[in-house]
Amino acid sequence: MQEEFEDSMRKPALSPTTGRIMLLACAMLWGGSYPTAKVAMGAVTPQWLMAVRLLGAAGVMLILFHKRILPALRPSIIIPAIFVGLTYWGTMFCQMTGLTMIEPGRSAFLTAAYCVIVPFTSWLLIRQRPTSRNLVAAALCLTGVGFVSLAGGGMGGLSVSPGDLLTLLCAFVFSFNLVLLGKWSRVIDPVALTFTMFVVAGVCFVGGAMVTEPSPSAAWLEPAVLSCLAYLVLGATMLAQVMQNIGLKVTPPSQASIIMCLETVFSMLFSVLFYGERVTVTAGIGFVLIFLAIVVSQVRLSGRMLERIGGRRG
């Protein structure tokens, strides 16, 4: 069973279409993590929550994928692990801390700014120049996410607070994490890279929690909290991140950022389904804009562009 599961994780990396589907599944899982994390943070403080998520996911990954992880733990993985681990820690620290200060919709909108930042980060790190289509698609998606996330709140609520600044910093750091993962996942086993990233970031969160937050309590053992932790560890962290890293092997960073930007759409959808949130006209406009962004992003891969990408990776 384990070998079949590992084989199924290897094969999709060969298909660009499957890679994009994996990134879409990541968006769904991460979208569900917003309400789930909110429930969990009623009992678990942010850094302890992230420590449990990341180290728990790393432990499960080691059990399931030890045949892929252990051989990859060579000196050559140390530098990539440190960089992706620290950038992931910075991303999640800023996001979770900011989320305690501002509303989830506002947080999702500001986090989605990485869609605009990624092409420039990619240009800086791997000399992949952003095109006009990158910019148009990112702008459409970002605008759409803003309409969906802030539906009912009005655009007048965009005053900058400490929570806003932390969340914008989250988007900036995440753009570096995304590009670095896309770069190193092509030469390092993505499962092993994900494992080391979780370990590095998880250790950072443990250290921070021990210094700045209260110790774990019996409230963590409530059934609702344990259910939330299980979803966050197994679904929104381990499975989603592995699929993301595999998907990034066959998807340009700027396009991947557009697909994963749908995380906020799914977050809104889950809120409607499970919390009875009303879909307004503003939210509907947001869905249309995000759909247009995806279309623009997909058109970019047609014709000679698709041949060039296939030639580089074949």
Side-chain angles (χ1 to χ4, degrees):
M1 179 65 70
Q2 178 184 335
E3 292 180 357
E4 293 177 357
F5 186 65
E6 290 181 347
D7 287 340
S8 70
M9 296 302 290
R10 291 189 186 100
K11 294 177 182 177
L14 302 177
S15 168
T17 299
T18 303
R20 291 192 288 271
I21 292 174
M22 282 186 159
L23 295 179
L24 184 63
C26 291
M28 294 180 65
L29 289 168
W30 286 328
S33 71
Y34 278 87
T36 304
K38 270 292 187 182
V39 173
M41 282 196 292
V44 186
T45 50
Q47 291 201 71
W48 278 121
L49 176 63
M50 289 308 305
V52 171
R53 281 183 66 172
L54 300 182
L55 295 181
V60 174
M61 288 181 67
L62 187 59
I63 294 172
L64 292 177
F65 305 114
H66 61 274
K67 291 183 179 180
R68 295 181 64 174
I69 292 173
L70 295 179
L73 298 183
R74 301 187 296 268
S76 60
I77 203 175
I78 294 176
I79 297 301
I82 291 174
F83 275 94
V84 297
L86 289 178
T87 52
Y88 192 69
W89 168 80
T91 296
M92 300 309 298
F93 176 82
C94 292
Q95 185 184 58
M96 297 301 290
T97 304
L99 188 57
T100 65
M101 305 177 189
I102 60 177
E103 294 300 313
R106 193 185 190 92
S107 174
F109 171 66
L110 295 174
T111 300
Y114 74 82
C115 293
V116 174
I117 300 170
V118 159
F120 297 97
T121 306
S122 181
W123 187 15
L124 176 66
L125 295 182
I126 61 177
R127 299 296 186 267
Q128 184 176 3
R129 180 185 291 271
T131 67
S132 58
R133 289 187 186 274
N134 292 150
L135 301 178
V136 171
L140 281 172
C141 189
L142 186 58
T143 303
V145 168
F147 273 103
V148 171
S149 300
L150 300 178
M155 296 305 292
L158 285 177
S159 59
V160 179
S161 69
D164 296 331
L165 293 175
L166 277 171
T167 309
L168 286 170
L169 181 58
C170 154
F172 179 76
V173 178
F174 183 55
S175 71
F176 281 86
N177 178 260
L178 188 64
V179 174
L180 290 174
L181 285 172
K183 174 184 178 180
W184 279 317
S185 289
R186 297 188 180 100
V187 294
I188 298 175
D189 188 294
V191 175
L193 186 61
T194 302
F195 170 79
T196 57
M197 180 179 73
F198 285 169
V199 170
V200 171
V203 169
C204 290
F205 276 116
V206 169
M210 292 178 65
V211 173
T212 64
E213 296 182 350
S215 300
S217 67
W220 291 25
L221 302 178
E222 293 288 336
V225 176
L226 289 176
S227 298
C228 291
L229 291 175
Y231 174 84
L232 293 171
V233 169
L234 300 177
T237 305
M238 187 202 77
L239 181 59
Q241 194 68 45
V242 169
M243 289 194 299
Q244 182 209 43
N245 288 4
I246 293 176
L248 286 173
K249 292 181 68 176
V250 293
T251 309
S254 55
Q255 185 189 10
S257 69
I258 296 293
I259 296 174
M260 290 187 293
C261 193
L262 288 170
E263 166 189 347
T264 310
V265 177
F266 287 116
S267 180
M268 179 65 72
L269 177 62
F270 294 145
S271 295
V272 170
L273 293 177
F274 299 110
Y275 293 96
E277 186 169 344
R278 185 171 60 90
V279 178
T280 64
V281 174
T282 306
I285 294 173
F287 277 101
V288 172
L289 289 172
I290 292 170
F291 175 76
L292 290 176
I294 296 298
V295 171
V296 171
S297 178
Q298 295 301 316
V299 168
R300 175 179 175 272
L301 292 179
S302 62
R304 285 178 294 177
M305 177 63 73
L306 180 60
E307 293 175 4
R308 288 201 296 270
I309 292 174
R312 282 200 304 267
R313 291 172 183 159

Coordinates of all heavy atoms in Angstrom, one line a residue, residues 21-87:
I21 N -3.8 20.5 -11.5 CA -4.9 20.0 -10.7 C -4.5 19.8 -9.2 O -5.2 20.1 -8.3 CB -5.4 18.6 -11.2 CG1 -6.1 18.8 -12.6 CG2 -6.3 17.9 -10.3 CD1 -6.4 17.5 -13.3
M22 N -3.2 19.4 -9.0 CA -2.7 19.3 -7.7 C -2.7 20.7 -7.0 O -3.0 20.8 -5.8 CB -1.3 18.7 -7.7 CG -1.2 17.2 -7.8 SD 0.5 16.7 -7.7 CE 0.2 14.9 -7.3
L23 N -2.3 21.7 -7.7 CA -2.2 23.0 -7.1 C -3.6 23.5 -6.8 O -3.9 24.2 -5.8 CB -1.5 24.0 -8.1 CG -0.1 23.7 -8.3 CD1 0.5 24.7 -9.3 CD2 0.8 23.8 -7.0
L24 N -4.6 23.2 -7.6 CA -6.0 23.5 -7.3 C -6.5 22.8 -6.1 O -7.2 23.4 -5.3 CB -6.9 23.2 -8.5 CG -8.4 23.6 -8.4 CD1 -8.5 25.1 -8.3 CD2 -9.1 23.0 -9.6
A25 N -6.1 21.5 -5.9 CA -6.5 20.8 -4.7 C -5.8 21.4 -3.5 O -6.5 21.5 -2.4 CB -6.0 19.3 -4.8
C26 N -4.6 21.9 -3.6 CA -4.0 22.7 -2.5 C -4.8 23.9 -2.1 O -5.0 24.1 -0.9 CB -2.6 23.1 -2.9 SG -1.4 21.8 -3.2
A27 N -5.3 24.6 -3.1 CA -6.1 25.8 -2.8 C -7.4 25.4 -2.0 O -7.8 26.1 -1.1 CB -6.5 26.5 -4.1
M28 N -8.0 24.3 -2.4 CA -9.2 23.8 -1.7 C -8.8 23.5 -0.2 O -9.5 23.9 0.7 CB -9.8 22.6 -2.4 CG -10.3 22.9 -3.7 SD -11.0 21.4 -4.5 CE -12.4 21.1 -3.4
L29 N -7.8 22.7 0.0 CA -7.4 22.3 1.3 C -7.0 23.5 2.2 O -7.4 23.6 3.4 CB -6.2 21.3 1.3 CG -6.6 19.9 0.8 CD1 -5.3 19.1 0.5 CD2 -7.4 19.2 1.8
W30 N -6.2 24.5 1.6 CA -5.9 25.7 2.3 C -7.1 26.6 2.6 O -7.1 27.2 3.6 CB -4.8 26.4 1.6 CG -3.4 25.7 1.7 CD1 -2.9 25.0 2.7 CD2 -2.4 25.7 0.7 NE1 -1.7 24.5 2.5 CE2 -1.3 25.0 1.2 CE3 -2.3 26.3 -0.6 CZ2 -0.1 24.8 0.5 CZ3 -1.1 26.1 -1.3 CH2 0.0 25.3 -0.7
G31 N -8.0 26.6 1.7 CA -9.2 27.4 1.9 C -10.0 26.9 3.1 O -10.5 27.7 3.9
G32 N -10.0 25.6 3.3 CA -10.7 25.0 4.4 C -10.0 25.2 5.7 O -10.5 25.1 6.8
S33 N -8.7 25.6 5.6 CA -7.9 25.8 6.8 C -8.2 27.1 7.6 O -7.9 27.2 8.7 CB -6.4 25.7 6.5 OG -6.0 26.9 5.8
Y34 N -8.8 28.0 6.9 CA -9.1 29.3 7.5 C -10.1 29.1 8.7 O -9.8 29.5 9.8 CB -9.6 30.4 6.5 CG -8.5 31.1 5.8 CD1 -7.9 30.5 4.6 CD2 -7.9 32.3 6.2 CE1 -6.9 31.2 3.9 CE2 -6.9 32.9 5.6 CZ -6.4 32.4 4.4 OH -5.4 33.0 3.7
P35 N -11.3 28.6 8.4 CA -12.2 28.4 9.5 C -11.8 27.4 10.5 O -12.0 27.5 11.7 CB -13.5 28.0 8.7 CG -13.1 27.4 7.4 CD -11.9 28.2 7.0
T36 N -11.0 26.4 10.0 CA -10.5 25.3 10.9 C -9.5 25.9 11.9 O -9.6 25.6 13.1 CB -9.9 24.2 10.1 OG1 -10.8 23.7 9.1 CG2 -9.4 23.1 11.0
A37 N -8.6 26.7 11.4 CA -7.6 27.3 12.3 C -8.3 28.3 13.3 O -7.8 28.4 14.4 CB -6.6 28.1 11.4
K38 N -9.3 29.0 12.8 CA -10.0 29.9 13.7 C -10.6 29.1 14.9 O -10.5 29.6 16.1 CB -11.2 30.6 13.0 CG -10.8 31.9 12.3 CD -10.4 32.9 13.4 CE -10.2 34.3 12.8 NZ -9.8 35.3 13.8
V39 N -11.2 27.9 14.7 CA -11.7 27.1 15.7 C -10.6 26.6 16.7 O -10.7 26.7 17.9 CB -12.5 25.9 15.2 CG1 -12.9 25.0 16.3 CG2 -13.7 26.4 14.4
A40 N -9.5 26.2 16.1 CA -8.4 25.6 16.8 C -7.8 26.7 17.7 O -7.4 26.5 18.9 CB -7.4 25.0 15.9
M41 N -7.7 27.9 17.2 CA -7.0 29.0 17.9 C -7.9 29.5 19.1 O -7.4 30.3 19.9 CB -6.7 30.2 17.0 CG -5.4 29.9 16.2 SD -4.7 31.4 15.5 CE -6.0 31.9 14.3
G42 N -9.1 29.0 19.2 CA -9.9 29.2 20.4 C -9.2 28.6 21.7 O -9.5 29.0 22.8
A43 N -8.4 27.5 21.4 CA -7.8 26.8 22.5 C -6.3 26.8 22.4 O -5.5 26.7 23.4 CB -8.3 25.4 22.6
V44 N -5.7 26.8 21.2 CA -4.3 26.7 21.0 C -3.7 28.0 20.4 O -4.3 28.6 19.5 CB -4.0 25.6 19.9 CG1 -2.5 25.4 19.8 CG2 -4.7 24.3 20.3
T45 N -2.7 28.5 21.0 CA -2.1 29.8 20.6 C -1.4 29.6 19.3 O -1.0 28.5 18.9 CB -1.0 30.3 21.7 OG1 -0.1 29.2 22.0 CG2 -1.8 30.7 22.9
P46 N -1.2 30.7 18.5 CA -0.7 30.6 17.1 C 0.6 29.8 16.9 O 0.6 29.0 16.0 CB -0.6 32.1 16.7 CG -1.6 32.8 17.5 CD -1.6 32.1 18.9
Q47 N 1.6 30.1 17.7 CA 2.9 29.4 17.4 C 2.8 28.0 17.8 O 3.4 27.1 17.1 CB 4.0 30.2 18.1 CG 4.3 31.6 17.5 CD 5.7 32.0 17.9 OE1 6.7 31.5 17.4 NE2 5.8 33.0 18.8
W48 N 2.2 27.7 18.9 CA 2.0 26.2 19.2 C 1.2 25.5 18.2 O 1.5 24.4 17.8 CB 1.3 26.1 20.6 CG 2.2 26.2 21.8 CD1 2.2 27.1 22.8 CD2 3.4 25.4 22.1 NE1 3.2 27.0 23.7 CE2 4.0 25.9 23.3 CE3 4.0 24.3 21.4 CZ2 5.1 25.3 23.9 CZ3 5.2 23.8 22.0 CH2 5.7 24.3 23.2
L49 N 0.2 26.2 17.6 CA -0.6 25.6 16.6 C 0.2 25.3 15.4 O 0.1 24.2 14.8 CB -1.8 26.6 16.2 CG -2.7 26.1 15.0 CD1 -3.4 24.8 15.4 CD2 -3.6 27.2 14.6
M50 N 1.1 26.2 15.0 CA 1.9 25.9 13.8 C 3.0 24.9 14.1 O 3.3 24.1 13.2 CB 2.6 27.2 13.4 CG 1.6 28.2 12.7 SD 0.6 27.5 11.4 CE 1.9 26.8 10.3
A51 N 3.5 24.9 15.3 CA 4.4 23.8 15.7 C 3.8 22.4 15.6 O 4.4 21.5 15.0 CB 5.0 24.1 17.1
V52 N 2.6 22.3 16.1 CA 1.9 21.0 16.0 C 1.6 20.7 14.6 O 1.8 19.5 14.1 CB 0.6 21.1 16.8 CG1 -0.2 19.8 16.5 CG2 0.9 21.2 18.3
R53 N 1.2 21.6 13.8 CA 0.9 21.4 12.4 C 2.1 20.9 11.6 O 2.1 19.9 10.9 CB 0.4 22.7 11.7 CG -1.0 23.1 11.9 CD -1.4 24.3 11.1 NE -1.4 24.1 9.7 CZ -1.8 25.0 8.8 NH1 -2.3 26.1 9.2 NH2 -1.8 24.7 7.5
L54 N 3.2 21.6 11.8 CA 4.4 21.3 10.9 C 5.1 20.1 11.4 O 5.5 19.2 10.6 CB 5.3 22.5 10.9 CG 4.7 23.8 10.3 CD1 5.7 24.9 10.3 CD2 4.1 23.5 8.9
L55 N 5.4 20.0 12.7 CA 6.1 18.8 13.2 C 5.3 17.5 13.1 O 5.8 16.4 12.9 CB 6.6 19.0 14.6 CG 7.7 20.2 14.7 CD1 8.1 20.3 16.2 CD2 8.9 19.9 13.8
G56 N 4.0 17.7 13.3 CA 3.1 16.5 13.2 C 3.0 16.1 11.7 O 3.1 14.9 11.4
A57 N 3.0 17.0 10.8 CA 3.0 16.6 9.4 C 4.3 16.0 9.0 O 4.4 15.0 8.2 CB 2.7 17.9 8.5
A58 N 5.4 16.5 9.5 CA 6.7 16.0 9.2 C 6.8 14.5 9.7 O 7.4 13.7 9.1 CB 7.8 16.8 9.9
G59 N 6.3 14.3 10.9 CA 6.3 12.9 11.5 C 5.5 11.9 10.6 O 6.0 10.8 10.4
V60 N 4.4 12.3 10.2 CA 3.6 11.5 9.3 C 4.3 11.2 8.0 O 4.3 10.1 7.5 CB 2.2 12.1 9.1 CG1 1.4 11.2 8.1 CG2 1.4 12.2 10.4
M61 N 4.9 12.3 7.4 CA 5.6 12.1 6.2 C 6.8 11.2 6.3 O 7.0 10.4 5.4 CB 6.1 13.5 5.7 CG 5.0 14.4 5.2 SD 5.7 16.0 4.6 CE 6.7 15.4 3.2
L62 N 7.5 11.2 7.4 CA 8.6 10.3 7.6 C 8.2 8.9 7.6 O 8.8 8.0 7.1 CB 9.3 10.7 8.9 CG 10.6 10.0 9.2 CD1 11.6 10.2 8.0 CD2 11.2 10.4 10.5
I63 N 7.0 8.6 8.2 CA 6.4 7.3 8.3 C 6.1 6.8 6.9 O 6.4 5.7 6.5 CB 5.2 7.2 9.2 CG1 5.7 7.4 10.7 CG2 4.5 5.8 9.1 CD1 4.5 7.6 11.7
L64 N 5.4 7.7 6.1 CA 4.8 7.3 4.8 C 5.9 7.3 3.7 O 5.9 6.4 2.8 CB 3.7 8.2 4.4 CG 2.4 8.1 5.2 CD1 1.4 9.2 4.7 CD2 1.8 6.7 5.1
F65 N 6.8 8.2 3.8 CA 7.7 8.4 2.7 C 9.2 8.2 3.1 O 10.1 8.8 2.4 CB 7.6 9.8 2.1 CG 6.2 10.1 1.7 CD1 5.4 11.1 2.3 CD2 5.5 9.4 0.6 CE1 4.1 11.4 2.0 CE2 4.3 9.7 0.2 CZ 3.6 10.7 0.9
H66 N 9.5 7.4 4.1 CA 10.9 7.3 4.6 C 11.8 6.8 3.5 O 13.0 7.1 3.4 CB 11.0 6.4 5.8 CG 10.5 5.0 5.6 ND1 9.2 4.6 5.7 CD2 11.2 3.9 5.2 CE1 9.1 3.4 5.4 NE2 10.3 2.9 5.2
K67 N 11.3 6.0 2.5 CA 12.2 5.5 1.4 C 12.6 6.6 0.5 O 13.6 6.4 -0.2 CB 11.4 4.4 0.7 CG 11.2 3.1 1.5 CD 10.5 2.1 0.6 CE 10.3 0.8 1.4 NZ 9.7 -0.3 0.6
R68 N 11.8 7.7 0.5 CA 12.2 8.8 -0.4 C 13.0 9.9 0.4 O 13.8 10.6 -0.1 CB 11.0 9.4 -1.1 CG 10.3 8.5 -2.0 CD 9.1 9.2 -2.6 NE 9.4 10.3 -3.5 CZ 8.5 11.0 -4.2 NH1 7.3 10.6 -4.2 NH2 8.9 12.0 -4.9
I69 N 12.6 10.0 1.7 CA 13.2 11.1 2.5 C 14.6 10.8 2.9 O 15.5 11.6 2.7 CB 12.3 11.4 3.7 CG1 10.9 12.0 3.2 CG2 13.0 12.3 4.7 CD1 9.9 12.2 4.3
L70 N 14.8 9.6 3.5 CA 16.1 9.3 4.1 C 17.2 9.3 3.1 O 18.3 9.9 3.4 CB 16.0 8.0 4.8 CG 15.1 7.9 6.0 CD1 15.1 6.5 6.6 CD2 15.5 8.9 7.0
P71 N 17.1 8.8 1.9 CA 18.2 8.9 0.9 C 18.5 10.3 0.5 O 19.6 10.6 0.0 CB 17.7 8.0 -0.3 CG 16.6 7.1 0.3 CD 16.0 7.9 1.4
A72 N 17.5 11.2 0.6 CA 17.7 12.6 0.1 C 18.3 13.4 1.2 O 18.7 14.6 0.9 CB 16.4 13.2 -0.3
L73 N 18.5 12.9 2.4 CA 19.0 13.7 3.5 C 20.6 13.7 3.4 O 21.2 13.1 4.2 CB 18.5 13.2 4.8 CG 17.0 13.3 5.1 CD1 16.7 12.8 6.5 CD2 16.5 14.7 4.8
R74 N 21.1 14.4 2.4 CA 22.5 14.6 2.2 C 22.9 16.0 2.4 O 22.1 16.9 2.5 CB 22.8 14.1 0.7 CG 22.4 12.7 0.4 CD 23.0 12.3 -1.0 NE 22.4 13.1 -2.0 CZ 21.3 12.8 -2.7 NH1 20.6 11.6 -2.4 NH2 20.8 13.6 -3.6
P75 N 24.2 16.3 2.5 CA 24.7 17.7 2.7 C 24.1 18.7 1.7 O 23.9 19.8 2.0 CB 26.2 17.5 2.6 CG 26.5 16.1 3.0 CD 25.3 15.3 2.5
S76 N 23.8 18.2 0.5 CA 23.3 19.1 -0.6 C 22.0 19.7 -0.3 O 21.6 20.7 -0.9 CB 23.3 18.4 -1.9 OG 22.5 17.3 -1.9
I77 N 21.2 19.0 0.7 CA 19.9 19.5 0.9 C 19.8 20.5 2.1 O 18.8 21.2 2.3 CB 18.9 18.3 1.3 CG1 17.5 18.7 1.0 CG2 19.1 17.9 2.8 CD1 16.5 17.5 1.3
I78 N 21.0 20.7 2.8 CA 21.0 21.6 4.0 C 20.6 23.0 3.6 O 19.8 23.6 4.2 CB 22.4 21.5 4.7 CG1 22.6 20.1 5.2 CG2 22.4 22.5 5.8 CD1 23.9 19.9 5.9
I79 N 21.3 23.6 2.6 CA 21.1 25.0 2.3 C 19.7 25.2 1.8 O 19.0 26.1 2.3 CB 22.1 25.5 1.3 CG1 23.5 25.4 1.9 CG2 21.8 26.9 0.9 CD1 23.7 26.3 3.1
P80 N 19.2 24.4 0.8 CA 17.8 24.6 0.4 C 16.8 24.4 1.6 O 15.8 25.2 1.7 CB 17.6 23.5 -0.6 CG 18.9 23.2 -1.2 CD 19.9 23.4 0.0
A81 N 17.0 23.5 2.5 CA 16.1 23.2 3.6 C 16.1 24.5 4.5 O 15.0 24.9 5.0 CB 16.6 22.0 4.4
I82 N 17.2 25.1 4.7 CA 17.3 26.2 5.6 C 16.5 27.4 5.0 O 15.7 28.1 5.6 CB 18.7 26.6 5.9 CG1 19.4 25.6 6.8 CG2 18.8 28.0 6.6 CD1 20.9 25.8 7.0
F83 N 16.7 27.6 3.7 CA 16.1 28.8 3.0 C 14.6 28.6 2.9 O 13.8 29.5 3.2 CB 16.7 29.0 1.7 CG 17.9 29.9 1.7 CD1 19.2 29.3 1.8 CD2 17.8 31.2 1.7 CE1 20.3 30.1 1.8 CE2 19.0 32.0 1.7 CZ 20.2 31.5 1.8
V84 N 14.1 27.4 2.5 CA 12.7 27.2 2.3 C 12.0 27.1 3.7 O 10.9 27.5 3.9 CB 12.4 26.0 1.5 CG1 12.9 26.1 0.0 CG2 12.9 24.7 2.1
G85 N 12.8 26.5 4.7 CA 12.2 26.4 6.0 C 12.0 27.8 6.7 O 11.0 28.1 7.3
L86 N 13.0 28.6 6.6 CA 13.0 30.0 7.2 C 11.9 30.9 6.5 O 11.2 31.6 7.1 CB 14.3 30.6 7.2 CG 15.4 30.0 8.1 CD1 16.7 30.8 8.0 CD2 14.9 30.1 9.6
T87 N 11.9 30.8 5.2 CA 10.9 31.6 4.5 C 9.5 31.1 4.8 O 8.5 31.9 4.9 CB 11.1 31.6 2.9 OG1 11.2 30.3 2.5 CG2 12.4 32.4 2.6

